[in-house]
Every structure is written in structure tokens, then in C-alpha cells.
Amino acid sequence: MSDLTSSLGPIQSSDRINSLDILRGVALLGILLMNIIGFGLVFMAYGDPTVQGGADGWNLKIWIINNMLFEGTMRAMFSMLFGVGMVLMTIRMENRGGGIEVADIYYRRTIWLLIFGVIHAYLLLWAGEILFAYGLFGLFLFPFRHTKPRKLYMAVAFLTLFGVGLQTFQYFSHMENLEKFELAQEYSEDEDIPQEIKKGKEAWEGMVDEMKPGKQKVHHMTEAMHQGYFELLLYVGHINHLVQTTYNYDYNPWDVLPMMLLGIALYRKKVITAELTTKSYLVMMLIGYGMGLSINYYETQTLLDNNFSVESVLTTGLTYHFGRIAVAFGHIALVMLFCKASFLGFLKSSLAAVGKMALTNYVMHSVICAFIFTGIGFSMFGQLKRFELYYVVIAIWLFQLAVSPLWLRYFRFGPLEWVWRSLIYGKRPAFKR
């Protein structure tokens, strides 16, 4: 490694932007609000409380709160911050005189993140992990490090609308299958159903079976998560393969990548560095929440009115991205106002510490929950009501808010951050303070 490359080391504490660390800490803890459903219940219960975990009382109230305020928003913020991280890293190295070494280091960083994602999913058994997607779409970010915000906004709009267009096309395709399913009901058992109607009927039935599994199927999936580690490797491995292939290419290009680009634009406009006026953030918060919560209310009420039918789930999916992005803007404005405020300094410090150790804390969620919910540990998968899962969330939050600042008092990085930096730069940075 050249002397120049050796000088392009990890970011120093003095170079960090506190508002970004706080926002990252909020997003990291907020992601667990949604991921806990995947850790403790079957995947289909994530958006449909009638599948497992309870759909009444506090179970339903928790679902409503999440669907209104947190579904997709924390993931959006976390994705934005990944884009910001790319800009901060590359611009800092370029300012130190880096040339081709900047690209070399950046792509090592991204490829190692891909590898971490594979390990996280297949060996730590978390099929809902996001690191692989960040590594994959992070490969496209480098050419955008100097792009002007206006062009980034255009790219975000194009990718988002293209994704909505694809989803709309799929929606009408599904509705066509529903029509064929209904037509098939008009035939008697003695009549031959035309092949085209039969195919549509089978396609609709297959989707309904996947989205709203019966009790026997839910029981089978629950029991599968109570197996030992090596059996879980095989069971979860099949799900991981689906997530890291089909899901990554059918969905994440319109979910993850545009948010990364939006994060770069918001950083360049000084939106997420707490540099705008209080009035600007108040206006941003009111507009973001006003638009986003209106859309999310429509979606929530539609699902409730139709008892989470497959048709209602498909219908609300058409407005999903508009609602989550708008609410994410409201959250960002609220966090920036908190950063600018002069109170609760201890909470800001704790959230910033959580954000500085985001990789370690994110993977820690998976390790803790694997021991709580799978057969490796207490086999609590499927045993808790939806609202009871949030006792686990609060316990993890309190633990990470307390331990993260304590850890950083004695060490420069979180343990996984230190490993990641060692692999990126080809040398071990100082670990202890």
C-alpha cells in the first residue's frame, strides 16, 4: 500500500458531524421497531396482524402506530445516511490528495459490506438484513459524489416513479388474476375451465396462500424457527436466497437506491446537518407529516376496513413510497430540531454513540434476537403477542443507549467498525483510546 493510501485513514472524532450521528442512532433504534416483527413472528405478520401475533387491543394499536409513523421511514433514513457516508468518506480523502486510491478504498469498503451482509444473513440467521443491499447498491454511488442536488432529486424522482409504475403494472396483473379466479367459481365441477382462466385462478390462489397463510402453515413456519442452529442454517438459507436475489432486484432498486441519492442531496443542501433555521425545519416537519400521515391514514384505514384482504394490501402498496418518504422528511426535521435544541444533552450523546457504532449495534439486534426467539436459545418465536415484542425492543434500546457511550469512552470504534476499517485500509487502526 502506498504512503498516500496509508494517510487516507478512518475518519477522526473531530471530523464527525454530530447531527448525522444522532440521526443515524435514531434510525438504527427505529429500525428495530419494524424488524422485531420479523425476529419474533412469521414474515407475513410484518404488515398483516391477522396472520400471527394478535389483531385486537394493543396488538392492533401497535400495528396502527407503526404503519402510520415508522413503516419504511427508518429504513429510508438509514439508506439516506449510507449515501451521506459515501460522500463524506470520498470527499475527505480527495481533499487529502487522494486520487485513484479513493476509488480503491471506497470499493473495498463496499465489497466488504456485501460480505458482511452474506455472513449476517446466512450465519447470523437474519433474512431481513439490509447490509447486502447497501453493499450492492453502494457499488453505483461513487460516480454521484459530486453530482448537484437538482440532478440527484431528478434521479430520485425517476427511480421512485419507475418503481411505482412497475408496482402499478403488477397490481393490474394481479387484479386480472382475481377476475379469472372469480370467473372460475362460476364453473361447475363437471365443466372444464378454460386454460387461461385456470392459470389466472391458480396464480391468485398461490399469492393468497403466500400472503395470508393458514394456521397449519404458520404453525409449520413457527416450529421451523425452534430448531437448532444447523437446521436453521438450511431453513433460513432458502429464505435468504430469495431475499438477496429476487427481492433485491424486484424491489430494492426503487426503495434503497433512491434514498441513498436523496441522502446525498439533503447533505449538500445542509438539511441533515442541522444548519437550516428553526423555521425551515418547522415548515419541513409540518409539510412532511401533513402529506405523509394523510397518505398513511388512507392506507391504514383501507386495510382495517377490508380486514387486511389481499386486494387491500395490493391497493395500498401503490401509495406506499409517497407516504413513507414524506413522513421520513417529518422525522428528519424533528430530529434536526432536537439537535439544535439545548436540552436533553445526555440523550443526544447516547444517540450519537449508538449512531457511531451503527454496524455493531445493528448486528447486535440479530444476535440478541436469535438467542431470544430461535431454537439456539429460548425458542420464543411465535410465542409472544405483537405488543409483547416491544418489551424486548425497549430492553435492547436501553442497553445500547447505555453501553454505546460507555464503550466509546474507552475505545475509538465499535468492534465491527474496527474490523471493517482494518479490512478497508489494510492496516489496524488504533482501537483503544
Side-chain angles (χ1 to χ4, degrees), residues 3 41 54 57 77 103 126 131 133 141 166 170-171 199 242 247 274 288 328 343 355 401 404 407 419:
D3 293 337
L41 302 173
M77 290 160 56
W126 176 221
L131 301 179
L141 283 187
L166 284 179
Q170 292 170 351
Y171 170 80
K199 285 183 179 179
L242 180 67
Y247 191 79
F343 54 83
L401 285 168
S404 296
W407 176 276
V419 171

Side-chain angles (χ1 to χ4, degrees), residues 179-189 191 193 197:
E179 290 178 8
K180 292 174 181 177
F181 171 81
E182 292 172 343
L183 282 173
Q185 309 309 307
E186 299 176 5
Y187 287 81
S188 67
E189 293 183 4
E191 292 181 284
I193 302 176
I197 294 179

Side-chain angles (χ1 to χ4, degrees), residues 24 38 82 85 110 138 171 220 255 293 306 357 391 404:
R24 188 178 292 107
F82 185 88
T110 308
Y171 170 80
H220 172 73
D255 182 295
L293 293 179
N306 293 277
M357 294 176 56
Y391 299 148
S404 296

Side-chain angles (χ1 to χ4, degrees), residues 192-211:
D192 289 332
I193 302 176
Q195 193 64 24
E196 184 179 350
I197 294 179
K198 186 177 181 180
K199 285 183 179 179
K201 171 181 175 291
E202 291 173 350
W204 179 258
E205 289 174 335
M207 188 175 65
V208 171
D209 180 65
E210 182 179 335
M211 293 177 65

Side-chain angles (χ1 to χ4, degrees), residues 25-64:
V26 170
L28 186 280
L29 296 179
I31 280 175
L32 188 58
L33 288 169
M34 304 310 302
N35 283 353
I36 195 66
I37 306 300
F39 284 125
L41 302 173
V42 298
F43 179 75
M44 288 68 72
Y46 183 88
D48 185 350
T50 66
V51 173
Q52 192 180 39
D56 56 1
W58 271 105
N59 296 309
L60 186 60
K61 290 176 183 177
I62 288 291
W63 177 85
I64 291 172

Side-chain angles (χ1 to χ4, degrees), residues 293-307:
L293 293 179
S294 298
I295 295 171
N296 288 357
Y297 177 79
Y298 151 75
E299 294 175 359
T300 301
Q301 198 60 51
T302 298
L303 292 167
L304 291 171
D305 290 344
N306 293 277
N307 196 31

